[in-house]
């Protein structure tokens, strides 16, 4: 397989990150329920809603052969800079079993000024650094990015890019604290990639790419992957029409330009997943039932613009399988969806 240039990989990471984050930047419309009190009666005390569930990052198992971007730009480093991931965390790196290499971690952050959210992205890979400044013994350089609106900080093993830097609230303080936190993590040496977990009532370790193994991807596309996988994980649960949910996604690309993504919207219970899947299958324009149903609710979209999609329910998961290319898949998309369904808990 032809080796990609560092610039090509970085552009690819940013493109994949942008595609994945669309999933999180456009959630479903929230439902709003209100009541009218009885005249001259004391207003009823509303029942407190369930506490919002946030994702937890915990140290990963094993040993590390190289730096992992998400273990360096961890949620606590972001929080110490006065920032918070606004919607989700996106990570891209080599597939399991491949040699450690270039990998990235980041997402839109807040608080912000203006309508365009700034994005913080750390990419691990060999960098050229003159060492004009140091933090925790680590040399770094700060400069502009490809756009005048960007700020870039380069360390020997990693590159931090902040897009729309001026949109950050108190950006100079934030970047100074990010430099301090990142340099401290780099000085500690490589650590395994963190695991992400959703506590009760979800009680799950979020592993999006378990739903789309490389072997299944190759059977569908007829081509090997490009060697990388991208994952996006919701920072916190959101309220949708059918209940609260968290969202995780895995994306892979082939050496021939095909892209496949599996997005799992996981509800607190199976009823919410079933109601939402059935509603979408019945009301999305052009979507039709599969000839061989998958589970109790499933449907497929019209094949337009090189995009093929299948939606189905598996237990408390609403699952969307997407294939994008300028040609139909070599394998059976519905058969691939069936295998994903069989592998998920019901």
């Amino acid at each position: 397989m032809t080796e990609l240039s560092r610039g090509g990989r970085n552009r690819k990471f940013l493109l994949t990150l942008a595609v994945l984050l669309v999933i999180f930047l456009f959630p479903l419309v929230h439902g709003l329920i209100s009541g009218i009190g009885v005249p001259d009666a004391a207003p009823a005390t509303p029942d407190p809603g369930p506490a919002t569930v946030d994702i937890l990052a915990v140290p990963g198992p094993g040993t590390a052969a190289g730096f992992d971007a998400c273990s360096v730009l961890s949620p606590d480093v972001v929080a110490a800079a006065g920032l918070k991931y606004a919607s989700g965390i996106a990570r891209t790196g080599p597939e399991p079993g491949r040699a450690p290499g270039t990998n990235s971690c980041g997402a839109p952050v807040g608080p912000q000024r203006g309508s365009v959210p700034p994005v913080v992205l750390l990419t691990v890979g060999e960098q050229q650094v003159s060492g004009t400044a140091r933090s925790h013994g680590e040399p770094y350089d700060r400069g502009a990015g490809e756009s005048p609106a960007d700020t870039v900080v380069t360390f020997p093993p990693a590159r931090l890019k902040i897009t729309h830097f001026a949109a950050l609230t108190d950006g100079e303080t934030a970047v100074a604290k990010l430099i301090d936190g990142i340099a401290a993590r780099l000085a500690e040496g490589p650590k395994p990639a963190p695991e992400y977990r959703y506590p009760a009532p979800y009680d799950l370790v979020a592993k999006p790419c378990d739903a789309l193994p490389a072997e299944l991807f190759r059977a569908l596309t007829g081509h090997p992957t490009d060697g990388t996988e991208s994952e996006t994980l919701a920072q916190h649960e959101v309220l949708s029409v059918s209940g609260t949910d968290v969202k995780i996604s895995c994306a892979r690309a082939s050496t021939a330009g095909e892209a496949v993504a599996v997005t799992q919207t996981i509800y607190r219970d199976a009823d919410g997943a079933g109601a939402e899947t059935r509603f979408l299958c019945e009301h999305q324009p052009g979507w039709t039932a599969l000839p061989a149903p998958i589970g109790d609710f499933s449907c497929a979209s019209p094949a337009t613009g090189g995009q093929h999609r299948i939606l189905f329910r598996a237990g408390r998961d609403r699952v969307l399988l997407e294939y994008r290319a300028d040609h139909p898949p070599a394998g059976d998309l519905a058969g691939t969806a069936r295998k994903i369904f069989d592998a998920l808990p019901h």
Side-chain angles (χ1 to χ4, degrees):
M1 181 171 63
T2 303
E3 182 69 22
L4 297 175
S5 67
R6 184 182 306 127
R9 283 189 178 274
N10 287 340
R11 287 191 296 272
K12 185 176 184 181
F13 288 148
L14 291 171
L15 177 60
T16 305
L17 177 67
V19 171
L20 281 174
L21 288 175
V22 168
I23 298 168
F24 293 87
L25 293 176
F26 296 92
L28 291 172
V29 177
H30 291 181
L32 182 62
I33 302 175
S34 60
I36 301 175
V38 177
D40 301 323
T45 302
D47 293 332
T52 299
V53 175
D54 290 338
I55 198 170
L56 300 176
V58 298
T63 58
F67 284 106
D68 175 80
C70 282
S71 69
V72 177
L73 189 68
S74 57
D76 59 324
V77 168
V78 174
L83 305 174
K84 184 177 182 179
Y85 286 128
S87 51
I89 301 169
R91 58 194 298 179
T92 302
E95 294 171 342
R98 294 181 180 266
T102 304
N103 63 92
S104 68
C105 185
V109 294
Q112 69 183 75
R113 297 184 297 238
S115 59
V116 180
V119 173
V120 173
L121 179 69
L122 184 74
T123 302
V124 169
E126 185 179 350
Q127 308 291 330
Q128 298 297 320
V129 179
S130 61
T132 56
R134 303 183 80 86
S135 176
H136 296 272
E138 297 290 320
Y140 70 89
D141 296 320
R142 179 178 172 182
E146 294 85 353
S147 165
D150 301 342
T151 290
V152 172
V153 182
T154 308
F155 304 86
R159 178 177 182 262
L160 172 69
K161 181 178 181 179
I162 306 174
T163 64
H164 299 286
F165 175 72
L168 279 177
T169 301
D170 196 7
E172 285 300 328
T173 298
V175 74
K177 291 183 177 180
L178 283 173
I179 290 171
D180 179 75
I182 291 169
R185 290 296 172 87
L186 294 175
E188 293 172 357
K191 295 181 179 180
E195 284 188 347
Y196 292 98
R197 297 177 180 173
Y198 293 104
Y202 297 96
D203 294 315
L204 64 90
V205 177
K207 296 183 177 181
C209 283
D210 281 3
L212 184 62
E215 298 78 13
L216 190 61
F217 175 94
R218 183 163 189 162
L220 174 63
T221 64
H223 298 101
T225 71
D226 64 2
T228 64
E229 63 182 23
S230 299
E231 297 179 325
T232 306
L233 307 101
Q235 174 71 18
H236 50 77
E237 69 175 351
V238 298
L239 176 66
S240 63
V241 174
S242 299
T244 51
D245 61 69
V246 295
K247 192 170 293 188
I248 62 177
S249 182
C250 175
R252 299 189 188 278
S254 77
T255 55
E258 297 126 327
V260 180
V262 174
T263 300
Q264 301 173 63
T265 303
I266 307 168
Y267 293 79
R268 288 186 174 222
D269 55 58
D271 288 344
E276 195 88 354
T277 307
R278 179 176 59 186
F279 177 86
L280 292 172
C281 282
E282 291 175 351
H283 296 283
Q284 290 183 112
W287 286 63
T288 57
L290 294 171
I294 299 174
D296 48 5
F297 305 115
S298 59
C299 55
S301 72
T304 57
Q307 180 177 350
H308 304 255
R309 295 177 292 173
I310 290 179
L311 182 68
F312 60 91
R313 195 277 291 261
R316 56 180 180 165
D317 291 14
R318 173 167 58 86
V319 185
L320 179 65
L321 170 63
E322 298 178 274
Y323 170 88
R324 295 173 184 265
D326 59 3
H327 54 273
D332 180 17
L333 190 66
T336 301
R338 167 67 65 180
K339 291 179 180 178
I340 295 172
F341 172 84
D342 290 341
L344 291 173
H346 298 159

